[in-house]
Amino acid sequence: MQLEIENPRIKCYKCLRPASTCICKHISPLHTKTRFIILMHPMEYNKEKNGTGRMTNLQLENSEIIVGVDFTDNKRVNEILNKENSSSFLLYPGKDNFNLSTRESSEIILFMGDDPHIFLLDGTWPCARKMLKMSKNLQKLKRVSFDNKIKSKFIIKQQPEALCLSTIESVFTVLNLLKKGDFEQCNTENFLLPFEKMIEHQLEFILHPDNESYHSNANREYIPKNMYKKDSERNIFFEQEG
């Protein structure tokens, strides 16, 4: 008897999503003065198909992804940290952090310098916390943060708090604050479009799991997950610290 082998789903090797829900046509890379370093946890790299770290990297010309947990002796991370005439920061709230939401333009320009690098921790909250705890070099960095007043659009996953944001939403907020501070000049109007399209695809799949074409149906409704839990399993990097 001859076994029939099911055809594997065709995947886009750029956005790493199934070809049927590829978001590449919505990608419009921005050029920024700031370089964003996305430190991605291995679990995020290997398993999280809806993570926004890769998407953020595709949307930013001046960015890169480095995978790991303990970056203390990571060659590339330390190369960036030791780069002459540059400055490095960690996007993460904490004591004495530099709050972009409350600073004047002159303060932001002076603080960022001529060649700034912003590090982001990409993983679930427990993973991100472990990454920072293990990475002694990251602990020494000045921290950048912002006052978030919007609710995440990542409605398909539960969140620990209503104001927690995904990686791409966090970068979007930072870029807009840097623009407001006259430091960045990029157009962020469509920056979240790939993210929004991904959410649309996921909602269509949830509503119509057996419909490969994901046609919408006005008679069906999806109630977003508004319940928040303490132990997050979604991409989230922020926890207020005393």
Side-chain angles (χ1 to χ4, degrees):
M1 186 176 85
Q2 189 174 15
L3 296 176
E4 292 186 5
I5 301 176
E6 184 178 352
N7 292 329
R9 298 180 70 183
I10 301 175
K11 179 185 291 187
C12 171
Y13 287 96
K14 183 176 181 181
C15 68
L16 301 185
R17 295 187 56 77
S20 60
T21 60
C22 174
I23 58 171
C24 290
K25 64 182 179 181
H26 305 296
I27 296 291
S28 301
L30 299 182
H31 177 71
T32 59
K33 182 187 300 184
T34 306
R35 185 167 185 79
F36 290 86
I37 316 299
I38 303 166
L39 302 178
M40 186 178 289
H41 192 279
M43 290 179 60
E44 188 72 16
Y45 182 80
N46 295 322
K47 300 179 180 179
E48 185 54 71
K49 63 182 179 181
N50 292 323
T52 65
R54 289 190 183 93
M55 192 183 300
T56 305
N57 177 233
L58 292 175
Q59 282 289 68
L60 296 170
E61 291 181 358
N62 196 11
S63 69
E64 63 183 283
I65 292 175
I66 304 175
V67 180
V69 179
D70 183 356
F71 297 93
T72 303
D73 298 316
N74 184 280
K75 182 179 179 180
R76 176 56 183 155
V77 169
N78 287 321
E79 179 183 335
I80 297 170
L81 296 179
N82 295 323
K83 185 179 179 181
E84 292 186 10
N85 302 318
S86 69
S87 50
S88 294
F89 313 102
L90 179 67
L91 183 61
Y92 198 103
K95 294 180 179 179
D96 302 320
N97 62 307
F98 188 87
N99 191 332
L100 294 171
S101 301
T102 61
R103 299 287 184 154
E104 299 293 333
S105 174
S106 58
E107 294 178 291
I108 292 176
I109 293 174
L110 180 63
F111 179 80
M112 296 295 288
D114 296 327
D115 185 21
H117 298 69
I118 292 182
F119 286 83
L120 304 97
L121 302 178
D122 186 34
T124 61
W125 169 244
C127 289
R129 191 172 186 175
K130 181 178 180 180
M131 291 161 74
L132 180 56
K133 184 176 181 180
M134 295 181 67
S135 305
K136 295 180 175 57
N137 47 357
L138 299 181
Q139 296 172 18
K140 299 176 182 178
L141 293 179
K142 294 180 180 178
R143 296 186 184 182
V144 175
S145 68
F146 55 83
D147 293 333
N148 182 28
K149 298 180 181 179
I150 66 173
K151 184 177 179 179
S152 174
K153 294 182 180 180
F154 217 158
I155 59 175
I156 62 173
K157 290 191 177 184
Q158 289 180 310
Q159 308 169 51
E161 294 181 15
L163 297 181
C164 292
L165 301 179
S166 63
T167 304
I168 195 167
E169 291 172 305
S170 298
V171 172
F172 174 73
T173 303
V174 168
L175 285 175
N176 283 331
L177 288 171
L178 292 178
K179 284 179 60 181
K180 184 178 179 181
D182 297 321
F183 187 79
E184 292 286 359
Q185 307 297 325
C186 54
N187 183 357
T188 59
E189 182 179 358
N190 294 318
F191 188 76
L192 291 180
L193 185 58
F195 173 65
E196 292 165 352
K197 292 299 180 180
M198 181 191 76
I199 299 299
E200 287 182 14
H201 289 315
Q202 288 298 316
L203 291 180
E204 287 293 338
F205 178 75
I206 292 172
L207 293 174
H208 317 285
D210 298 323
N211 188 347
E212 293 183 359
S213 60
Y214 302 118
H215 290 305
S216 62
N217 186 335
N219 296 322
R220 299 285 298 274
E221 284 187 317
Y222 172 71
I223 301 175
K225 295 184 177 181
N226 289 319
M227 297 299 293
Y228 304 103
K229 54 185 180 180
K230 293 182 179 179
D231 295 326
S232 169
E233 292 181 356
R234 59 154 294 192
N235 287 7
I236 179 75
F237 316 113
F238 299 104
E239 177 178 272
Q240 295 297 330
E241 299 180 352

